[in-house]
Amino acid sequence: MLLRYLTIAIVSAGALTSTGVLAQDVKVGLVLPLTGGLGPVGKQVQAAAKLYMDKNGATVAGKKIELIVKDDGGVPDNSKRLAQELIVNDKVAVIGSAITPGAMAIGPLSTQSKTANVVMVSGTSGVINPNNPYMVRTSFTLGQQSGIIAQWAAKNGAKKVVIIQSDWAPGAEATAVFTDAFTKAGGQIAETIKVPLANPDFAPFLQRARDLNPDTLFVFVPAGQAGTFAKQFAERGLDKAGIKLIGPGDIVDDNDLPGMGDAMLGVVTAGIYSTAHNSQANKEYVAAFKKANNNLRPNFISVGGYDGMHVIYEALKKTGGKTDGEALINAMKGMKWESPRGPISIDPETRDIVQNIYVGKVEKVQGELYSIEFATYDAVKDPLKMKK
Ligand code: PHB
């Protein structure tokens, strides 16, 4: 009797292999900005990764998953140092990296050490490249969204656009892809205005944009800044000036949307995810995420963390628990599944994410602002990789 209880106890801890030997842990190290201006980004990823593990259990292919989360404050020198410690001291099997500068700093380390590196946040095309073969992306690229919103705007009467762009790599990419597609469709870019990434004050840039008298404003600000942007947009009266606001999904970040005010009503974006995405998988995801996080909405950043854990779990199942970088990355290539954001896959050739892009409009539903998706572009690849 006692033996039976003991056996049950050990098996339910999930750490026994079929040979009865205690399985080694598989360590997964996430390097995220949990503090600083992009702190909301890391918090969404951390919450989503934890939710995935709570839902799917902490044991995969006979191995117990140990999640180690480090805060780099959004400073790439920190990202590099922390990733080095995770790889050398903790011997993590997988690194999860976040935001473009951090992912770029960690890339060469994962290559040298042949460690699988799942980029859970980065919107810059070049982060996933042939020189760093152990990396895959589960987030998005700004190019995926910006070309589509350019086509939509041109078809819906936009002729003269001012661009306001956060001044770093993903912003440059949003601008480049939008400008290319919009001018090819016959539109004009009156001016591109760059706003510093750290502690941005949008007011003078919004005034400049208003003075140029465009019909439409295309804006990219990263997750965590949409709330500040919306407040200053309304304060400057741009909503009342008849200037339409469009952008990639970042400007209707669900993390901020509930407090963004009615000036955002009618804003149209091309994005990868909305809390209001209409699927059973998403309804369950939103309910579980809110329950575990004090009613916080999961946003477009969170799904990169949730799906990042999914590729790690599924790759470990495929390799039977083998953790060398090559085996894991090979297992991730071509993987297809249903995310809370809809159907997604990892392109086997580029290791980049392929996903639906949804055109959505901000509406009020039961007293709260949501981006309501009204058109879908299926299985969109990173346009900058397709050109090469
Ligand atoms: C990025 O790191 O490339 C990034 C972060 C947050 C965003 C968009 C892009 O909202």
Side-chain angles (χ1 to χ4, degrees), residues 61 65 98 360:
I65 308 292

Side-chain angles (χ1 to χ4, degrees), residues 197-322:
L197 172 63
N199 306 314
D201 175 11
F202 298 106
F205 303 103
L206 283 164
Q207 190 58 50
R208 168 81 190 140
R210 190 177 174 165
D211 293 345
L212 289 161
N213 200 25
D215 53 61
T216 307
L217 197 58
F218 171 84
V219 176
F220 166 73
V221 296
Q225 294 187 359
T228 311
F229 177 82
K231 187 168 167 281
Q232 297 186 336
F233 182 83
E235 277 168 8
R236 291 273 135 179
L238 269 85
D239 54 326
K240 301 205 174 66
I243 300 171
K244 288 195 182 115
L245 178 59
I246 60 168
D250 312 61
I251 54 164
V252 292
D253 180 353
D254 274 291
N255 199 84
D256 292 5
L257 207 45
M260 274 164 71
D262 288 357
M264 289 295 109
L265 284 169
V267 172
V268 177
T269 56
I272 63 156
Y273 176 75
S274 162
T275 303
H277 177 70
N278 191 8
S279 73
Q280 192 52 37
N282 187 49
K283 283 192 181 118
E284 286 167 20
Y285 178 64
V286 172
F289 190 100
K290 285 175 114 180
K291 190 168 174 219
N293 295 285
N294 204 13
N295 222 27
L296 181 73
R297 284 191 199 176
N299 69 357
F300 69 100
I301 294 287
S302 76
V303 288
Y306 196 75
D307 293 322
M309 291 309 292
H310 181 84
V311 292
I312 295 167
Y313 269 51
E314 291 304 308
L316 282 166
K317 284 184 198 166
K318 275 202 199 170
T319 65
K322 262 180 73 183

Side-chain angles (χ1 to χ4, degrees), residues 41 99-101 121-124 140 142 168 170 220-223 250 300-301:
V41 169
I99 76 165
T100 293
V121 185
S122 168
T124 309
F140 50 82
L142 269 309
W168 58 317
F220 166 73
V221 296
D250 312 61
F300 69 100
I301 294 287

